């Protein structure tokens, strides 16, 4: 299910239609999704299908890729797509290495990762820009916050975890506390099943007290 489908399911169950209700349910879904991602180590980054661009500033070697709407988590490659014929990707170096080199101006084809934020990555160019250029980067985008057609990063059979949690929040708002507690318990139970689903393997046996090839106990998961 997509994010929108999950939100619509909750709205339909409780006959909600206001924009404020949609926003509230969306926040509840993302709250629970972030909890699951952080507790289970789920992959929440994906490679962008189109490069992200950033514009250089004359005299400033720092260039930042990403924004609140395009959440860049990691830079894979940097290149100048305005050059014809294509000249390939820039070489990644360390900041110290570039600081010890002579300033190559706009002719430099090197960069270093300077800073990585919540949804931006800033690079340090090999030369001080003397003109305004548009640089491109292949990146990994942060998908920890769902929106629109985004799909949660776990099996669809368990997407009801998010529905149950958001339903519990709505039931609390309606002061139906017993029903809210039941929905939260259902969300937790399904989350436990998801953890087991992710951890379990048909051929992996984890031995209590086991180390190396020694088998000192009975399998914990079989």
């Amino acid at each position: 299910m997509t994010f929108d489908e999950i939100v619509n399911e909750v709205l339909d169950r409780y006959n909600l239609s206001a924009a404020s209700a949609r926003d509230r349910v969306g926040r509840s879904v993302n709250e629970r999704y972030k909890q699951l991602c952080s507790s289970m180590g789920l992959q929440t980054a994906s490679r962008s299908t189109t490069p992200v661009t950033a514009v250089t500033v004359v005299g400033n070697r720092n260039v930042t890729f990403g924004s609140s709407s395009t959440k860049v988590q990691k830079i894979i490659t940097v290149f100048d797509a305005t050059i014809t014929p294509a000249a390939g990707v820039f070489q990644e170096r360390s900041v110290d290495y570039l600081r010890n080199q002579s300033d190559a101006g706009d002719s430099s084809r090197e960069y270093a990762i300077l800073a990585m934020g919540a949804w931006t990555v800033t690079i340090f160019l090999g030369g001080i820009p003397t003109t305004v250029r548009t640089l491109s980067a292949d990146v990994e985008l942060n998908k920890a916050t769902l929106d629109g057609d985004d799909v949660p990063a776990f099996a669809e059979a368990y997407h009801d975890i998010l529905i149950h949690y958001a339903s519990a929040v709505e039931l609390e708002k309606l002061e139906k506390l017993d029903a809210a507690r039941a929905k939260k318990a259902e969300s937790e139970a399904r989350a436990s099943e998801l953890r087991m689903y992710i951890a379990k393997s048909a051929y992996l046996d984890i031995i209590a007290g086991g180390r190396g090839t020694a088998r000192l106990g009975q399998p914990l998961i079989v």
Side-chain angles (χ1 to χ4, degrees), residues 39-160:
S39 66
M40 299 183 190
L42 297 174
Q43 174 61 261
T44 57
S46 62
R47 182 162 179 158
S48 174
T49 56
T50 58
V52 174
T53 60
V55 178
T56 63
V57 176
V58 175
N60 189 348
R61 296 173 74 169
N62 299 346
V63 180
T64 299
F65 291 87
S67 64
S68 58
S69 59
T70 305
K71 298 183 178 182
V72 174
Q73 181 168 293
K74 181 179 181 180
I75 284 181
I76 302 171
T77 60
V78 176
F79 56 97
D80 187 343
T82 65
I83 297 177
T84 304
V89 301
F90 288 15
Q91 292 295 311
E92 183 176 356
R93 308 293 190 186
S94 69
V95 174
D96 290 345
Y97 174 89
L98 294 180
R99 290 195 188 281
N100 285 322
Q101 303 304 306
S102 299
D103 176 21
D106 289 337
S107 65
S108 172
R109 299 187 55 76
E110 298 177 317
Y111 76 98
I113 301 297
L114 184 64
M116 298 175 69
W119 55 63
T120 61
V121 177
T122 299
I123 66 172
F124 182 77
L125 296 175
I128 299 174
T130 58
T131 60
V132 175
R133 292 189 298 162
T134 298
L135 299 181
S136 300
D138 290 317
V139 302
E140 286 186 356
L141 296 177
N142 188 336
K143 293 294 185 180
T145 300
L146 300 173
D147 188 30
D149 291 333
D150 292 338
V151 178
F154 53 87
E156 186 173 10
Y158 295 95
H159 288 182
D160 60 310

